[in-house]
Amino acid sequence: MPTAPRSSRRRARTAFVLGGGGILGASQVGMLRALAEHEVRPDLVLGTSIGAINGAFAAAAPGVDGADRLAEVWRAVRAEGIFLENPVRQAARIAKYRTHVLSHAPLRRIIADYLPATTFEELAVPFQCVAACVEDAAGRWFDSGPLSSAIIASCAVPGLFPPVLLDGRHYLDGGLVHSIPVGRALELGATRIFVLQVGRIERPLKPPRRPWEVGTVAFEIARRHRFVHEMESVPAGVETHVLPTGAPESPTISLGYGRGSRLGDRMDQAYAATAAYLAALP
């Protein structure tokens, strides 16, 4: 990736771009700690889906203490079962809700209990998150007003959570329209971009060989193609860093990664890999 001299970094408008990826977003916790320890502070934070949750906490407290608090949040996420339940075992909920298997209530409660801000304006660093509008078939970026509903809209994975109703429109997961929003960072004038991805883009896709792989591969192509295009279109002079997860694998279906010590492992792996990456920068 292109780099810039240290003298120019001091003048850079630094953006943290946190992509989607469900429970694999635990990797972003380790990345944020490594960035904080290396005194890399954002001027702007952008988040999609799970990156909207992590990004809001990073924007609220962009330092080591904030990273520690986010690790607490992830322990609460595991305890509450958010994102972790296997929908195959939730037939009763499908019968009850018809379009989804999980409730927004636990996530809303965790945001209320742990996030030290209730509005975008109260955050220490400017923050934006994106959700997909059902009626307009378009992305909407949220950057002002109440935080909780905007974050939850960005995380409303189709089939897992119901759409979120805001201002007369229904919203689903932001990853449907902008999975890793590098282009948004460029639009907002970023000249140094740190991409906090969850590991899927570190490995090439393979053609499906089983019936159930067809849908996941197709969705993954749709999720990645905009990021690939935007990275190819980054102007000369913009410094970009795609941070490594250090994880041995990052499956396209990741609900099982919430079990046992896997969340902690992903945080530790991403911390070590990102710390080494940052230490090697000129």
Side-chain angles (χ1 to χ4, degrees), residues 205-234:
L205 285 172
K206 297 179 180 179
R209 297 194 300 175
R210 302 174 180 86
W212 57 86
E213 293 177 347
V214 175
T216 58
V217 170
F219 181 70
E220 193 65 20
I221 291 171
R223 179 161 45 189
R224 293 188 192 191
H225 90 278
R226 185 168 183 175
F227 169 72
V228 171
H229 171 72
E230 289 178 348
M231 289 298 292
E232 291 174 345
S233 304
V234 171

PDB file of all heavy atoms in Angstrom, residues 205-234:
ATOM      1  N   LEU A 205     -11.837 -15.605  -3.175  1.00  0.00           N
ATOM      2  CA  LEU A 205     -12.992 -16.486  -3.229  1.00  0.00           C
ATOM      3  C   LEU A 205     -12.719 -17.687  -4.131  1.00  0.00           C
ATOM      4  O   LEU A 205     -11.876 -17.615  -5.028  1.00  0.00           O
ATOM      5  CB  LEU A 205     -14.204 -15.717  -3.755  1.00  0.00           C
ATOM      6  CG  LEU A 205     -14.871 -14.733  -2.791  1.00  0.00           C
ATOM      7  CD1 LEU A 205     -15.922 -13.919  -3.536  1.00  0.00           C
ATOM      8  CD2 LEU A 205     -15.492 -15.464  -1.622  1.00  0.00           C
ATOM      9  N   LYS A 206     -13.460 -18.762  -3.905  1.00  0.00           N
ATOM     10  CA  LYS A 206     -13.382 -19.943  -4.748  1.00  0.00           C
ATOM     11  C   LYS A 206     -14.771 -20.252  -5.297  1.00  0.00           C
ATOM     12  O   LYS A 206     -15.773 -19.960  -4.651  1.00  0.00           O
ATOM     13  CB  LYS A 206     -12.868 -21.142  -3.940  1.00  0.00           C
ATOM     14  CG  LYS A 206     -11.453 -20.964  -3.415  1.00  0.00           C
ATOM     15  CD  LYS A 206     -11.022 -22.183  -2.608  1.00  0.00           C
ATOM     16  CE  LYS A 206      -9.607 -22.004  -2.078  1.00  0.00           C
ATOM     17  NZ  LYS A 206      -9.164 -23.178  -1.263  1.00  0.00           N
ATOM     18  N   PRO A 207     -14.851 -20.815  -6.492  1.00  0.00           N
ATOM     19  CA  PRO A 207     -16.171 -21.152  -7.049  1.00  0.00           C
ATOM     20  C   PRO A 207     -16.920 -22.102  -6.118  1.00  0.00           C
ATOM     21  O   PRO A 207     -16.310 -22.966  -5.483  1.00  0.00           O
ATOM     22  CB  PRO A 207     -15.836 -21.834  -8.382  1.00  0.00           C
ATOM     23  CG  PRO A 207     -14.466 -21.355  -8.721  1.00  0.00           C
ATOM     24  CD  PRO A 207     -13.755 -21.165  -7.411  1.00  0.00           C
ATOM     25  N   PRO A 208     -18.242 -21.951  -6.023  1.00  0.00           N
ATOM     26  CA  PRO A 208     -19.025 -22.846  -5.158  1.00  0.00           C
ATOM     27  C   PRO A 208     -19.008 -24.276  -5.675  1.00  0.00           C
ATOM     28  O   PRO A 208     -19.053 -24.518  -6.876  1.00  0.00           O
ATOM     29  CB  PRO A 208     -20.427 -22.248  -5.210  1.00  0.00           C
ATOM     30  CG  PRO A 208     -20.468 -21.493  -6.498  1.00  0.00           C
ATOM     31  CD  PRO A 208     -19.085 -20.962  -6.714  1.00  0.00           C
ATOM     32  N   ARG A 209     -18.967 -25.224  -4.735  1.00  0.00           N
ATOM     33  CA  ARG A 209     -18.993 -26.639  -5.101  1.00  0.00           C
ATOM     34  C   ARG A 209     -20.177 -27.370  -4.494  1.00  0.00           C
ATOM     35  O   ARG A 209     -20.437 -28.516  -4.829  1.00  0.00           O
ATOM     36  CB  ARG A 209     -17.686 -27.314  -4.659  1.00  0.00           C
ATOM     37  CG  ARG A 209     -16.440 -26.765  -5.332  1.00  0.00           C
ATOM     38  CD  ARG A 209     -15.255 -27.658  -5.125  1.00  0.00           C
ATOM     39  NE  ARG A 209     -14.931 -27.840  -3.711  1.00  0.00           N
ATOM     40  CZ  ARG A 209     -13.988 -28.666  -3.266  1.00  0.00           C
ATOM     41  NH1 ARG A 209     -13.288 -29.391  -4.137  1.00  0.00           N
ATOM     42  NH2 ARG A 209     -13.748 -28.774  -1.980  1.00  0.00           N
ATOM     43  N   ARG A 210     -20.897 -26.710  -3.591  1.00  0.00           N
ATOM     44  CA  ARG A 210     -22.072 -27.296  -2.961  1.00  0.00           C
ATOM     45  C   ARG A 210     -23.241 -26.339  -3.115  1.00  0.00           C
ATOM     46  O   ARG A 210     -23.042 -25.112  -3.218  1.00  0.00           O
ATOM     47  CB  ARG A 210     -21.803 -27.573  -1.475  1.00  0.00           C
ATOM     48  CG  ARG A 210     -20.616 -28.511  -1.237  1.00  0.00           C
ATOM     49  CD  ARG A 210     -20.304 -28.628   0.244  1.00  0.00           C
ATOM     50  NE  ARG A 210     -19.183 -29.517   0.486  1.00  0.00           N
ATOM     51  CZ  ARG A 210     -17.905 -29.133   0.463  1.00  0.00           C
ATOM     52  NH1 ARG A 210     -17.599 -27.860   0.183  1.00  0.00           N
ATOM     53  NH2 ARG A 210     -16.944 -29.999   0.703  1.00  0.00           N
ATOM     54  N   PRO A 211     -24.469 -26.854  -3.108  1.00  0.00           N
ATOM     55  CA  PRO A 211     -25.631 -25.986  -3.336  1.00  0.00           C
ATOM     56  C   PRO A 211     -25.699 -24.806  -2.382  1.00  0.00           C
ATOM     57  O   PRO A 211     -26.012 -23.680  -2.790  1.00  0.00           O
ATOM     58  CB  PRO A 211     -26.819 -26.936  -3.144  1.00  0.00           C
ATOM     59  CG  PRO A 211     -26.276 -28.286  -3.472  1.00  0.00           C
ATOM     60  CD  PRO A 211     -24.854 -28.275  -2.989  1.00  0.00           C
ATOM     61  N   TRP A 212     -25.388 -25.018  -1.113  1.00  0.00           N
ATOM     62  CA  TRP A 212     -25.510 -23.940  -0.133  1.00  0.00           C
ATOM     63  C   TRP A 212     -24.390 -22.903  -0.246  1.00  0.00           C
ATOM     64  O   TRP A 212     -24.475 -21.836   0.340  1.00  0.00           O
ATOM     65  CB  TRP A 212     -25.552 -24.508   1.292  1.00  0.00           C
ATOM     66  CG  TRP A 212     -24.356 -25.358   1.651  1.00  0.00           C
ATOM     67  CD1 TRP A 212     -23.164 -24.929   2.143  1.00  0.00           C
ATOM     68  CD2 TRP A 212     -24.264 -26.774   1.537  1.00  0.00           C
ATOM     69  NE1 TRP A 212     -22.321 -25.978   2.347  1.00  0.00           N
ATOM     70  CE2 TRP A 212     -22.966 -27.127   1.992  1.00  0.00           C
ATOM     71  CE3 TRP A 212     -25.152 -27.769   1.111  1.00  0.00           C
ATOM     72  CZ2 TRP A 212     -22.539 -28.457   2.022  1.00  0.00           C
ATOM     73  CZ3 TRP A 212     -24.723 -29.074   1.142  1.00  0.00           C
ATOM     74  CH2 TRP A 212     -23.445 -29.417   1.588  1.00  0.00           C
ATOM     75  N   GLU A 213     -23.341 -23.229  -1.012  1.00  0.00           N
ATOM     76  CA  GLU A 213     -22.257 -22.266  -1.202  1.00  0.00           C
ATOM     77  C   GLU A 213     -22.565 -21.245  -2.291  1.00  0.00           C
ATOM     78  O   GLU A 213     -21.933 -20.190  -2.349  1.00  0.00           O
ATOM     79  CB  GLU A 213     -20.960 -23.004  -1.553  1.00  0.00           C
ATOM     80  CG  GLU A 213     -20.404 -23.855  -0.419  1.00  0.00           C
ATOM     81  CD  GLU A 213     -19.174 -24.621  -0.847  1.00  0.00           C
ATOM     82  OE1 GLU A 213     -18.910 -24.677  -2.073  1.00  0.00           O
ATOM     83  OE2 GLU A 213     -18.470 -25.149   0.024  1.00  0.00           O
ATOM     84  N   VAL A 214     -23.539 -21.541  -3.146  1.00  0.00           N
ATOM     85  CA  VAL A 214     -23.844 -20.651  -4.263  1.00  0.00           C
ATOM     86  C   VAL A 214     -24.260 -19.275  -3.755  1.00  0.00           C
ATOM     87  O   VAL A 214     -23.741 -18.237  -4.190  1.00  0.00           O
ATOM     88  CB  VAL A 214     -24.947 -21.245  -5.161  1.00  0.00           C
ATOM     89  CG1 VAL A 214     -25.350 -20.245  -6.245  1.00  0.00           C
ATOM     90  CG2 VAL A 214     -24.484 -22.560  -5.783  1.00  0.00           C
ATOM     91  N   GLY A 215     -25.193 -19.253  -2.814  1.00  0.00           N
ATOM     92  CA  GLY A 215     -25.669 -17.976  -2.287  1.00  0.00           C
ATOM     93  C   GLY A 215     -24.604 -17.209  -1.540  1.00  0.00           C
ATOM     94  O   GLY A 215     -24.485 -15.984  -1.684  1.00  0.00           O
ATOM     95  N   THR A 216     -23.802 -17.913  -0.735  1.00  0.00           N
ATOM     96  CA  THR A 216     -22.778 -17.211   0.047  1.00  0.00           C
ATOM     97  C   THR A 216     -21.692 -16.634  -0.844  1.00  0.00           C
ATOM     98  O   THR A 216     -21.215 -15.527  -0.603  1.00  0.00           O
ATOM     99  CB  THR A 216     -22.156 -18.154   1.093  1.00  0.00           C
ATOM    100  OG1 THR A 216     -21.597 -19.296   0.439  1.00  0.00           O
ATOM    101  CG2 THR A 216     -23.187 -18.603   2.095  1.00  0.00           C
ATOM    102  N   VAL A 217     -21.291 -17.358  -1.877  1.00  0.00           N
ATOM    103  CA  VAL A 217     -20.279 -16.834  -2.797  1.00  0.00           C
ATOM    104  C   VAL A 217     -20.826 -15.635  -3.572  1.00  0.00           C
ATOM    105  O   VAL A 217     -20.143 -14.614  -3.737  1.00  0.00           O
ATOM    106  CB  VAL A 217     -19.793 -17.934  -3.760  1.00  0.00           C
ATOM    107  CG1 VAL A 217     -18.913 -17.332  -4.873  1.00  0.00           C
ATOM    108  CG2 VAL A 217     -19.018 -19.004  -3.004  1.00  0.00           C
ATOM    109  N   ALA A 218     -22.085 -15.741  -4.022  1.00  0.00           N
ATOM    110  CA  ALA A 218     -22.683 -14.629  -4.760  1.00  0.00           C
ATOM    111  C   ALA A 218     -22.772 -13.386  -3.888  1.00  0.00           C
ATOM    112  O   ALA A 218     -22.450 -12.273  -4.331  1.00  0.00           O
ATOM    113  CB  ALA A 218     -24.071 -15.031  -5.258  1.00  0.00           C
ATOM    114  N   PHE A 219     -23.197 -13.565  -2.636  1.00  0.00           N
ATOM    115  CA  PHE A 219     -23.294 -12.423  -1.732  1.00  0.00           C
ATOM    116  C   PHE A 219     -21.922 -11.838  -1.434  1.00  0.00           C
ATOM    117  O   PHE A 219     -21.748 -10.619  -1.335  1.00  0.00           O
ATOM    118  CB  PHE A 219     -23.986 -12.836  -0.430  1.00  0.00           C
ATOM    119  CG  PHE A 219     -24.137 -11.706   0.547  1.00  0.00           C
ATOM    120  CD1 PHE A 219     -25.023 -10.669   0.298  1.00  0.00           C
ATOM    121  CD2 PHE A 219     -23.398 -11.679   1.717  1.00  0.00           C
ATOM    122  CE1 PHE A 219     -25.169  -9.620   1.198  1.00  0.00           C
ATOM    123  CE2 PHE A 219     -23.532 -10.640   2.620  1.00  0.00           C
ATOM    124  CZ  PHE A 219     -24.425  -9.608   2.355  1.00  0.00           C
ATOM    125  N   GLU A 220     -20.921 -12.696  -1.311  1.00  0.00           N
ATOM    126  CA  GLU A 220     -19.580 -12.207  -1.014  1.00  0.00           C
ATOM    127  C   GLU A 220     -19.016 -11.403  -2.181  1.00  0.00           C
ATOM    128  O   GLU A 220     -18.316 -10.401  -1.980  1.00  0.00           O
ATOM    129  CB  GLU A 220     -18.659 -13.381  -0.671  1.00  0.00           C
ATOM    130  CG  GLU A 220     -17.341 -12.969  -0.052  1.00  0.00           C
ATOM    131  CD  GLU A 220     -17.480 -12.302   1.302  1.00  0.00           C
ATOM    132  OE1 GLU A 220     -18.525 -12.471   1.963  1.00  0.00           O
ATOM    133  OE2 GLU A 220     -16.540 -11.593   1.688  1.00  0.00           O
ATOM    134  N   ILE A 221     -19.308 -11.820  -3.404  1.00  0.00           N
ATOM    135  CA  ILE A 221     -18.890 -11.026  -4.567  1.00  0.00           C
ATOM    136  C   ILE A 221     -19.544  -9.652  -4.518  1.00  0.00           C
ATOM    137  O   ILE A 221     -18.883  -8.621  -4.721  1.00  0.00           O
ATOM    138  CB  ILE A 221     -19.261 -11.744  -5.873  1.00  0.00           C
ATOM    139  CG1 ILE A 221     -18.411 -13.002  -6.052  1.00  0.00           C
ATOM    140  CG2 ILE A 221     -19.064 -10.810  -7.078  1.00  0.00           C
ATOM    141  CD1 ILE A 221     -18.860 -13.874  -7.207  1.00  0.00           C
ATOM    142  N   ALA A 222     -20.845  -9.641  -4.245  1.00  0.00           N
ATOM    143  CA  ALA A 222     -21.554  -8.364  -4.159  1.00  0.00           C
ATOM    144  C   ALA A 222     -20.991  -7.493  -3.045  1.00  0.00           C
ATOM    145  O   ALA A 222     -20.900  -6.267  -3.179  1.00  0.00           O
ATOM    146  CB  ALA A 222     -23.043  -8.618  -3.926  1.00  0.00           C
ATOM    147  N   ARG A 223     -20.587  -8.120  -1.950  1.00  0.00           N
ATOM    148  CA  ARG A 223     -20.079  -7.374  -0.805  1.00  0.00           C
ATOM    149  C   ARG A 223     -18.688  -6.805  -1.083  1.00  0.00           C
ATOM    150  O   ARG A 223     -18.348  -5.725  -0.613  1.00  0.00           O
ATOM    151  CB  ARG A 223     -20.042  -8.295   0.426  1.00  0.00           C
ATOM    152  CG  ARG A 223     -19.503  -7.623   1.660  1.00  0.00           C
ATOM    153  CD  ARG A 223     -19.894  -8.348   2.920  1.00  0.00           C
ATOM    154  NE  ARG A 223     -19.727  -9.794   2.860  1.00  0.00           N
ATOM    155  CZ  ARG A 223     -20.178 -10.618   3.816  1.00  0.00           C
ATOM    156  NH1 ARG A 223     -20.821 -10.130   4.846  1.00  0.00           N
ATOM    157  NH2 ARG A 223     -20.000 -11.913   3.716  1.00  0.00           N
ATOM    158  N   ARG A 224     -17.878  -7.523  -1.858  1.00  0.00           N
ATOM    159  CA  ARG A 224     -16.493  -7.108  -2.050  1.00  0.00           C
ATOM    160  C   ARG A 224     -16.265  -6.175  -3.233  1.00  0.00           C
ATOM    161  O   ARG A 224     -15.313  -5.391  -3.238  1.00  0.00           O
ATOM    162  CB  ARG A 224     -15.604  -8.336  -2.265  1.00  0.00           C
ATOM    163  CG  ARG A 224     -15.482  -9.236  -1.070  1.00  0.00           C
ATOM    164  CD  ARG A 224     -14.428 -10.309  -1.348  1.00  0.00           C
ATOM    165  NE  ARG A 224     -14.446 -11.362  -0.356  1.00  0.00           N
ATOM    166  CZ  ARG A 224     -13.499 -12.288  -0.254  1.00  0.00           C
ATOM    167  NH1 ARG A 224     -12.473 -12.289  -1.082  1.00  0.00           N
ATOM    168  NH2 ARG A 224     -13.599 -13.224   0.680  1.00  0.00           N
ATOM    169  N   HIS A 225     -17.118  -6.259  -4.258  1.00  0.00           N
ATOM    170  CA  HIS A 225     -16.734  -5.635  -5.524  1.00  0.00           C
ATOM    171  C   HIS A 225     -16.583  -4.117  -5.401  1.00  0.00           C
ATOM    172  O   HIS A 225     -15.707  -3.522  -6.031  1.00  0.00           O
ATOM    173  CB  HIS A 225     -17.739  -5.991  -6.623  1.00  0.00           C
ATOM    174  CG  HIS A 225     -18.884  -5.043  -6.741  1.00  0.00           C
ATOM    175  ND1 HIS A 225     -19.991  -5.101  -5.927  1.00  0.00           N
ATOM    176  CD2 HIS A 225     -19.080  -3.984  -7.576  1.00  0.00           C
ATOM    177  CE1 HIS A 225     -20.833  -4.133  -6.263  1.00  0.00           C
ATOM    178  NE2 HIS A 225     -20.311  -3.452  -7.247  1.00  0.00           N
ATOM    179  N   ARG A 226     -17.417  -3.470  -4.607  1.00  0.00           N
ATOM    180  CA  ARG A 226     -17.310  -2.024  -4.464  1.00  0.00           C
ATOM    181  C   ARG A 226     -16.010  -1.636  -3.765  1.00  0.00           C
ATOM    182  O   ARG A 226     -15.353  -0.664  -4.154  1.00  0.00           O
ATOM    183  CB  ARG A 226     -18.515  -1.473  -3.698  1.00  0.00           C
ATOM    184  CG  ARG A 226     -18.523   0.043  -3.630  1.00  0.00           C
ATOM    185  CD  ARG A 226     -19.853   0.572  -3.125  1.00  0.00           C
ATOM    186  NE  ARG A 226     -19.862   2.018  -3.144  1.00  0.00           N
ATOM    187  CZ  ARG A 226     -20.919   2.771  -2.856  1.00  0.00           C
ATOM    188  NH1 ARG A 226     -22.074   2.192  -2.547  1.00  0.00           N
ATOM    189  NH2 ARG A 226     -20.847   4.086  -2.886  1.00  0.00           N
ATOM    190  N   PHE A 227     -15.641  -2.407  -2.761  1.00  0.00           N
ATOM    191  CA  PHE A 227     -14.375  -2.140  -2.072  1.00  0.00           C
ATOM    192  C   PHE A 227     -13.196  -2.277  -3.030  1.00  0.00           C
ATOM    193  O   PHE A 227     -12.290  -1.429  -3.050  1.00  0.00           O
ATOM    194  CB  PHE A 227     -14.213  -3.103  -0.894  1.00  0.00           C
ATOM    195  CG  PHE A 227     -12.833  -3.078  -0.278  1.00  0.00           C
ATOM    196  CD1 PHE A 227     -12.418  -1.997   0.473  1.00  0.00           C
ATOM    197  CD2 PHE A 227     -11.969  -4.138  -0.466  1.00  0.00           C
ATOM    198  CE1 PHE A 227     -11.149  -1.976   1.043  1.00  0.00           C
ATOM    199  CE2 PHE A 227     -10.700  -4.128   0.093  1.00  0.00           C
ATOM    200  CZ  PHE A 227     -10.289  -3.035   0.854  1.00  0.00           C
ATOM    201  N   VAL A 228     -13.203  -3.339  -3.830  1.00  0.00           N
ATOM    202  CA  VAL A 228     -12.113  -3.552  -4.791  1.00  0.00           C
ATOM    203  C   VAL A 228     -12.026  -2.372  -5.764  1.00  0.00           C
ATOM    204  O   VAL A 228     -10.943  -1.840  -6.029  1.00  0.00           O
ATOM    205  CB  VAL A 228     -12.323  -4.872  -5.557  1.00  0.00           C
ATOM    206  CG1 VAL A 228     -11.329  -5.000  -6.706  1.00  0.00           C
ATOM    207  CG2 VAL A 228     -12.201  -6.058  -4.609  1.00  0.00           C
ATOM    208  N   HIS A 229     -13.165  -1.945  -6.271  1.00  0.00           N
ATOM    209  CA  HIS A 229     -13.189  -0.812  -7.205  1.00  0.00           C
ATOM    210  C   HIS A 229     -12.673   0.461  -6.534  1.00  0.00           C
ATOM    211  O   HIS A 229     -11.872   1.205  -7.126  1.00  0.00           O
ATOM    212  CB  HIS A 229     -14.609  -0.594  -7.728  1.00  0.00           C
ATOM    213  CG  HIS A 229     -14.776   0.661  -8.528  1.00  0.00           C
ATOM    214  ND1 HIS A 229     -14.257   0.810  -9.795  1.00  0.00           N
ATOM    215  CD2 HIS A 229     -15.386   1.844  -8.230  1.00  0.00           C
ATOM    216  CE1 HIS A 229     -14.542   2.015 -10.246  1.00  0.00           C
ATOM    217  NE2 HIS A 229     -15.226   2.660  -9.319  1.00  0.00           N
ATOM    218  N   GLU A 230     -13.110   0.723  -5.327  1.00  0.00           N
ATOM    219  CA  GLU A 230     -12.702   1.956  -4.651  1.00  0.00           C
ATOM    220  C   GLU A 230     -11.225   1.946  -4.308  1.00  0.00           C
ATOM    221  O   GLU A 230     -10.545   2.986  -4.406  1.00  0.00           O
ATOM    222  CB  GLU A 230     -13.553   2.170  -3.401  1.00  0.00           C
ATOM    223  CG  GLU A 230     -14.993   2.550  -3.744  1.00  0.00           C
ATOM    224  CD  GLU A 230     -15.875   2.715  -2.541  1.00  0.00           C
ATOM    225  OE1 GLU A 230     -15.458   2.324  -1.426  1.00  0.00           O
ATOM    226  OE2 GLU A 230     -16.994   3.248  -2.703  1.00  0.00           O
ATOM    227  N   MET A 231     -10.693   0.802  -3.935  1.00  0.00           N
ATOM    228  CA  MET A 231      -9.252   0.736  -3.650  1.00  0.00           C
ATOM    229  C   MET A 231      -8.432   0.960  -4.916  1.00  0.00           C
ATOM    230  O   MET A 231      -7.363   1.584  -4.880  1.00  0.00           O
ATOM    231  CB  MET A 231      -8.909  -0.611  -3.020  1.00  0.00           C
ATOM    232  CG  MET A 231      -9.426  -0.772  -1.591  1.00  0.00           C
ATOM    233  SD  MET A 231      -8.710   0.425  -0.429  1.00  0.00           S
ATOM    234  CE  MET A 231      -7.004  -0.130  -0.390  1.00  0.00           C
ATOM    235  N   GLU A 232      -8.939   0.465  -6.042  1.00  0.00           N
ATOM    236  CA  GLU A 232      -8.241   0.694  -7.306  1.00  0.00           C
ATOM    237  C   GLU A 232      -8.313   2.159  -7.741  1.00  0.00           C
ATOM    238  O   GLU A 232      -7.485   2.611  -8.532  1.00  0.00           O
ATOM    239  CB  GLU A 232      -8.839  -0.193  -8.398  1.00  0.00           C
ATOM    240  CG  GLU A 232      -8.553  -1.681  -8.211  1.00  0.00           C
ATOM    241  CD  GLU A 232      -9.283  -2.541  -9.224  1.00  0.00           C
ATOM    242  OE1 GLU A 232     -10.229  -2.017  -9.875  1.00  0.00           O
ATOM    243  OE2 GLU A 232      -8.949  -3.726  -9.347  1.00  0.00           O
ATOM    244  N   SER A 233      -9.306   2.881  -7.215  1.00  0.00           N
ATOM    245  CA  SER A 233      -9.529   4.264  -7.625  1.00  0.00           C
ATOM    246  C   SER A 233      -8.988   5.282  -6.629  1.00  0.00           C
ATOM    247  O   SER A 233      -9.234   6.495  -6.801  1.00  0.00           O
ATOM    248  CB  SER A 233     -11.043   4.502  -7.819  1.00  0.00           C
ATOM    249  OG  SER A 233     -11.587   3.575  -8.738  1.00  0.00           O
ATOM    250  N   VAL A 234      -8.270   4.843  -5.615  1.00  0.00           N
ATOM    251  CA  VAL A 234      -7.722   5.784  -4.634  1.00  0.00           C
ATOM    252  C   VAL A 234      -6.726   6.709  -5.332  1.00  0.00           C
ATOM    253  O   VAL A 234      -5.797   6.246  -6.004  1.00  0.00           O
ATOM    254  CB  VAL A 234      -7.025   5.034  -3.485  1.00  0.00           C
ATOM    255  CG1 VAL A 234      -6.277   6.013  -2.583  1.00  0.00           C
ATOM    256  CG2 VAL A 234      -8.045   4.253  -2.674  1.00  0.00           C
TER     257      VAL A 234
END
